[in-house]
Amino acid sequence: MQNDNLKSYLNLHLIVFIWGFTAILGALITIPADDLVWYRMLIASGFIGLFLVAKKKSFSIPVRELLQLVFVGLLIALHWIFFFQAIHISNVSITLSVFSLGAFFASLLEPIFYGRKVLWYEVFFGVIIIAGLSLILQVESGYINGVFFALASIILGVLFTLMNGKLIVKHDPSVITFYEFLSGFFFISIYFIIQGKFTKDFFELSVNNWIWLFILASVCTAYAFTASVRVMRKLTPYTVMLTTNLEPVYGIVLAYFIIGGKEKMSTEFYIGALIIVITVILNGVIKHYYKAKE
């Protein structure tokens, strides 16, 4: 069982690294955020649907739980729209740094969802993360609009992570992800139809945009999202959210070398990011200590 947990934890770090690259792709893709998410969910649900057919897995799911998946799909769609909008109006580094608040929100909401007591060190580490984020925003105040979009995105991210933590107990991760992505695609499509957005220009993308979209939808979405739901069978939502705090680190480093330009931030910004990394490591050490005592 311990080896299974370690394997899940290492797999989670690979997923988080891939998510860090997702932000880079979001900056490289030049279409609007809601268009990007529509294409992402359409292509990703197609990949997962083909996988389920190839593996001869059942698509059957009770109506009540299907409605829950539909709702989670809406949350995911909004989460990604706000995420990519934050990147477009600020940058990758600022957007990902705000995502460090995910662990703090998870430490407050997970006890409500799962009926367990609040752990003092989870809240303590969440406060430290807020301090690190405050240091970052103190010197990068020009990106405040991006911060608000990123904040809305991470709150939605925590909510659907907690909901998936319950759904994964009963259903296959691939089936869960398929219905959630398909639902998100459906909701955005309805919105686009009302807005009259499906024009010829909407479907005319550059070659680079198509390439980045397929990488985003296949590796960074169909694989990474399904795998992240799967590891929740072994790890708690809080551990998933806190480890996800490494996404800013991976993403910021990648952005610095791949994109450059406005991604090169102040010294204080990198100090704040370092605080976040140390917090993640300390959480793992303390969590392991308390597990060993049980």
Side-chain angles (χ1 to χ4, degrees):
M1 181 65 72
Q2 192 170 5
N3 288 335
D4 288 341
N5 288 342
L6 177 61
K7 183 178 179 181
S8 295
Y9 193 67
L10 293 175
N11 193 27
L12 177 60
H13 275 279
L14 172 62
I15 295 164
V16 172
F17 179 81
I18 292 173
W19 281 341
F21 191 69
T22 297
I24 308 300
L25 293 174
L28 294 175
I29 297 171
T30 57
I31 61 178
D34 49 357
D35 295 16
L36 191 162
V37 176
W38 185 86
Y39 277 107
R40 182 185 190 182
M41 301 192 98
L42 169 62
I43 298 170
S45 60
F47 275 121
I48 297 172
L50 290 173
F51 170 78
L52 292 173
V53 170
K55 292 290 184 179
K56 297 181 179 179
K57 293 191 176 185
S58 173
F59 286 84
S60 177
I61 194 167
V63 174
R64 181 180 177 182
E65 286 159 9
L66 177 61
L67 293 176
Q68 291 178 335
L69 293 177
V70 168
F71 178 68
V72 173
L74 174 61
L75 295 182
I76 294 170
L78 293 173
H79 162 74
W80 281 342
I81 290 172
F82 291 149
F83 172 70
F84 289 118
Q85 181 65 14
I87 290 173
H88 288 170
I89 65 176
S90 58
N91 62 22
V92 172
S93 300
I94 289 295
T95 301
L96 291 181
S97 66
V98 175
F99 268 48
S100 60
L101 285 171
F104 178 66
F105 290 128
S107 69
L108 298 178
L109 294 175
E110 187 178 318
I112 298 174
F113 272 73
Y114 291 89
R116 68 163 176 80
K117 65 178 182 179
V118 176
L119 301 177
W120 67 268
Y121 60 85
E122 292 183 351
V123 178
F124 175 70
F125 286 139
V127 172
I128 293 178
I129 288 169
I130 291 177
L133 181 62
S134 299
L135 179 61
I136 290 171
L137 297 181
Q138 215 170 19
V139 293
E140 307 295 346
S141 58
Y143 296 110
I144 192 66
N145 288 335
V147 169
F148 287 138
F149 275 103
L151 187 61
S153 178
I154 192 57
I155 291 173
L156 292 170
V158 171
L159 288 174
F160 77 68
T161 299
L162 291 170
M163 294 181 73
N164 275 341
K166 288 190 171 184
L167 291 167
I168 190 62
V169 177
K170 299 180 180 179
H171 304 289
D172 183 276
S174 299
V175 176
I176 287 176
T177 308
F178 172 75
Y179 281 115
E180 288 177 348
F181 286 179
L182 198 61
S183 299
F185 162 74
F186 173 78
F187 282 119
I188 300 175
S189 295
I190 295 298
Y191 172 72
F192 282 178
I193 291 171
I194 294 172
Q195 295 292 315
K197 200 166 185 177
F198 287 129
T199 63
K200 181 182 177 182
D201 291 340
F202 178 86
F203 297 100
E204 290 181 346
L205 305 182
S206 67
V207 174
N208 282 343
N209 277 336
W210 277 118
I211 292 172
W212 298 137
L213 276 170
F214 271 96
I215 294 174
L216 175 66
S218 58
V219 179
C220 301
T221 307
Y223 163 73
F225 198 92
T226 302
S228 72
V229 175
R230 183 176 291 110
V231 299
M232 292 184 71
R233 285 178 168 168
K234 301 293 182 181
L235 306 174
T236 67
Y238 176 78
T239 299
V240 172
M241 288 305 306
L242 195 63
T243 306
T244 302
N245 284 326
L246 287 174
E247 180 182 346
V249 180
Y250 297 143
I252 290 166
V253 172
L254 288 169
Y256 183 91
F257 289 105
I258 296 174
I259 300 176
K262 69 175 183 176
E263 294 297 338
K264 295 180 179 180
M265 312 298 286
S266 63
T267 302
E268 289 83 355
F269 176 90
Y270 295 108
I271 292 173
L274 182 61
I275 290 173
I276 294 170
V277 179
I278 293 173
T279 303
V280 172
I281 295 172
L282 286 175
N283 173 74
V285 171
I286 291 181
K287 193 174 287 291
H288 177 75
Y289 171 76
Y290 279 106
K291 288 284 185 183
K293 288 181 66 176
E294 292 177 357

